[in-house]
Amino acid sequence: MSAFAGAMMGMNFGSQLGAASSNYEMTKLQNEMRTESAKDAMNLDREILIRRRKEESRAYVQSNIDLQRRALEAESRANVSMGEAGIEGLSVDNVKSAIRRQEGQTRQRQKETFDSKMDTIDDSFERSLQVMIARMQGLTPPAQPNLLAIASQSFSPAIDSKMADSFDGWFDKTFSSTGAEGTPS
């Protein structure tokens, strides 16, 4: 084999090793970037959902205050109307009880709606978390350069039949005459 052929095989080995190493590093870098992107997306979703939770809580509190105010106004109007009509006693108490019962029913419906909205927000967060995990699990693992494969590709022109026969003989002599326990006999 000439020095030029040996140098060419060495350069081929170096270039293949460099390409494999670059591919390995690039895949690692891409995975890091995709992981960061998945985390950033999840953090943004979390911030949006926290804001939605606060908005829904404020709206719920405000609707309870409005309901209480409307119930007090209705009770006040009933008192005035019945007082002007000269109605007293049990009739007035019955009207007030009906107003409070309606207020309680409305308050319960509002609470159920609020709880449902909070559950939906929690489900959205869980879905966001699962999407992030799926994105991270779907990353391609970087492949380590296989030095033996690269070397065998690069230097295969230098291996002739005499060298292969010599290796086969050595391999057979070393590994084929083993006893039952796997030790050379």
Side-chain angles (χ1 to χ4, degrees):
M1 174 173 60
S2 72
F4 179 74
M8 290 303 291
M9 285 185 272
M11 288 173 45
N12 186 25
F13 174 76
S15 106
Q16 286 185 19
L17 180 60
S21 296
S22 293
N23 187 36
Y24 172 76
E25 292 300 324
M26 182 55 74
T27 303
K28 275 182 30 181
L29 183 60
Q30 286 173 336
N31 286 350
E32 288 172 14
M33 300 296 274
R34 288 178 180 144
T35 298
E36 286 304 312
S37 174
K39 288 178 181 178
D40 289 346
M42 214 289 285
N43 285 334
L44 178 61
D45 285 347
R46 182 176 44 98
E47 289 174 14
I48 290 169
L49 294 173
I50 288 171
R51 188 171 48 248
R52 274 188 49 208
R53 183 177 275 277
K54 287 178 183 178
E55 289 169 358
E56 291 295 340
S57 295
R58 277 194 300 270
Y60 175 67
V61 168
Q62 187 60 48
S63 69
N64 278 332
I65 292 170
D66 292 345
L67 176 63
Q68 186 177 15
R69 183 180 42 79
R70 285 192 304 271
L72 289 173
E73 288 172 356
E75 196 173 318
S76 179
R77 279 194 305 274
N79 282 337
V80 170
S81 297
M82 291 185 163
E84 289 175 350
I87 302 173
E88 307 176 5
L90 289 177
S91 296
V92 173
D93 289 341
N94 287 341
V95 169
K96 287 180 179 180
S97 291
I99 291 170
R100 286 189 198 108
R101 186 175 56 254
Q102 287 176 350
E103 177 188 8
Q105 289 171 342
T106 303
R107 193 177 301 280
Q108 181 60 33
R109 282 193 305 269
Q110 286 177 338
K111 173 72 171 126
E112 289 171 1
T113 300
F114 174 74
D115 289 344
S116 176
K117 288 179 179 179
M118 292 294 114
D119 289 343
T120 300
I121 290 170
D122 291 343
D123 292 345
S124 295
F125 179 75
E126 183 64 30
R127 184 178 60 239
S128 176
L129 180 62
Q130 293 304 319
V131 166
M132 180 194 72
I133 290 170
R135 285 175 67 183
M136 293 169 82
Q137 288 176 339
L139 296 174
T140 304
Q144 287 274 358
N146 185 338
L147 293 176
L148 184 59
I150 293 171
S152 67
Q153 267 185 333
S154 298
F155 298 109
S156 64
I159 300 174
D160 59 9
S161 63
K162 285 196 287 185
M163 187 181 289
D165 289 343
S166 175
F167 176 78
D168 288 344
W170 170 82
F171 189 86
D172 286 343
K173 186 173 93 178
T174 306
F175 297 105
S176 63
S177 56
T178 57
E181 293 82 33
T183 58
S185 47

